[in-house]
Amino acid sequence: MAGKVALSRECLRASYKDACRMEIEALKPGNVHLFADGHGMSAAQFMTSAEVSSGPLTDPRLPVGQRMLEAVRATRLAVATNTNLGIILLAGPLICAAEMGGDRLRDNLDSLVRALNVQDTKAVFEAIVTAAPGGLGEAANDVRQEPKVHLLDAMREAADRDMIARQYGSCFGDVFGVGLAALDGALARGETGMWPTVFVYMAFLAGFPDSHVMRKYGVDLANQARQEAVAVQAALHAESHEPSRIRLLMEFDRRLKADNINPGTSADLTVATLLVHTLALTLHNRGVGA
């Protein structure tokens, strides 16, 4: 194999914005998308958030923790709400791993996460406080306090109740496993347009009780939403008529939103999956394994 190939900042920024755009364009029941806003947020706010956060996340002058903090700050300044904390916490390490070039994306990611230091921890804790998401800040290692542990340890401590935290301790195992498997399966079946993204989202929603829903309403309601997602996912696989598929998803979307249920973690993991796929394609096209 040839020597290391580094992706340019412009390429990384475009890959991130593409992943965010594909996610918001897909009909994701309970979440914000182009078909329907929800939870006091609009699709336009998410697109603005992707644009303004893309700069800090790809700034080669900043360490990964500071990139994530500056991305959250830029988002708050632009849209005055938490649209993308989970996306930023997942995309930050992935972008930096791709920036390292060469070898394999996941190997780079593992090295990068293990190398996070106390300054990264402080920056990430501040990012969480700035975004004010409700949930992760209630962990034993309270993000409002001076960090007492390494970021990786803090994320591992929260992993049983937060799927985004869990990715840090598993080298993004659910993204590279569940997410990419769903995406590859959809593409292999010939799914086009928004449908590969929809099937990624549904794989997370049907596969796990969404941790955002679980923190807000408890495990029983989160599991109820998951079980309904399993039925909808099966119906989608059985139905090839696009208008019928859309009708099915919109009915589920209305039911979730009527109960103020927002599976935000499943959406964040979907963006991360799309980002990995886009970065892997780019690396592959440049002669580097992903």
Side-chain angles (χ1 to χ4, degrees):
M1 184 179 72
K4 287 199 172 190
V5 176
L7 298 182
S8 69
R9 183 181 185 184
E10 292 74 19
C11 180
L12 292 167
R13 193 168 183 175
S15 296
Y16 169 72
K17 291 194 292 185
D18 282 347
C20 293
R21 174 187 53 76
M22 287 187 286
E23 184 264 344
I24 210 67
E25 288 177 350
L27 206 174
K28 308 178 308 301
N31 200 246
V32 177
H33 44 78
L34 285 184
F35 291 78
D37 296 336
H39 314 290
M41 295 178 288
S42 69
Q45 285 178 306
F46 279 81
M47 293 308 299
T48 297
S49 301
E51 178 65 39
V52 300
S53 61
S54 67
L57 283 175
T58 58
D59 189 339
R61 300 167 298 178
L62 300 177
V64 61
Q66 194 66 30
R67 293 189 194 197
M68 292 188 278
L69 172 57
E70 295 303 331
V72 167
R73 286 172 171 166
T75 300
R76 293 292 296 191
L77 189 62
V79 299
T81 190
N82 172 31
T83 49
N84 62 357
L85 173 64
I87 292 170
I88 288 168
L89 291 177
L90 294 169
L94 286 170
I95 288 170
C96 286
E99 195 176 76
M100 292 162 66
D103 303 324
R104 297 173 68 84
L105 180 61
R106 200 171 179 190
D107 291 341
N108 288 352
L109 182 64
D110 183 57
S111 299
L112 183 137
V113 171
R114 292 178 185 279
L116 294 171
N117 58 33
V118 67
Q119 295 305 317
D120 291 309
T121 306
K122 287 180 178 179
V124 169
F125 279 20
E126 186 176 347
I128 294 169
V129 171
T130 300
L136 192 63
E138 296 163 12
N141 297 304
D142 196 323
V143 295
R144 292 176 292 259
Q145 308 296 325
E146 187 74 11
K148 299 181 179 66
V149 296
H150 187 280
L151 180 61
L152 187 53
D153 293 328
M155 291 296 194
R156 283 172 173 159
E157 194 278 332
D160 62 340
R161 59 188 174 275
D162 190 280
M163 285 282 289
I164 291 170
R166 185 164 110 171
Q167 303 318 301
Y168 277 71
S170 66
C171 197
F172 286 49
D174 298 311
V175 172
F176 282 88
V178 174
L180 284 183
L183 182 58
D184 290 343
L187 293 171
R189 293 192 305 272
E191 300 284 358
T192 58
M194 72 174 178
W195 295 106
T197 302
V198 169
F199 279 105
V200 172
Y201 176 77
M202 292 303 298
F204 286 122
L205 191 56
F208 309 92
D210 187 274
S211 50
H212 183 265
V213 177
M214 191 163 57
R215 286 195 305 271
K216 191 170 182 179
Y217 295 111
V219 67
D220 289 343
L221 191 58
N223 269 319
Q224 182 179 321
R226 185 192 66 79
Q227 289 162 5
E228 189 168 2
V230 170
V232 172
Q233 182 187 49
L236 281 177
H237 279 288
E239 178 60 73
S240 59
H241 186 237
E242 183 167 84
S244 298
R245 280 181 162 185
I246 291 174
R247 190 159 50 248
L248 178 71
L249 291 174
M250 286 302 296
E251 289 171 357
F252 189 23
D253 185 66
R254 284 190 287 269
R255 290 196 299 273
L256 290 173
K257 286 174 179 172
D259 292 329
N260 199 31
I261 294 173
N262 177 13
T265 303
S266 298
D268 296 339
L269 291 165
T270 298
V271 175
T273 301
L274 295 169
L275 179 57
V276 167
H277 179 73
T278 304
L279 291 172
L281 279 178
T282 305
L283 287 166
H284 176 75
N285 291 338
R286 297 190 178 201
V288 180

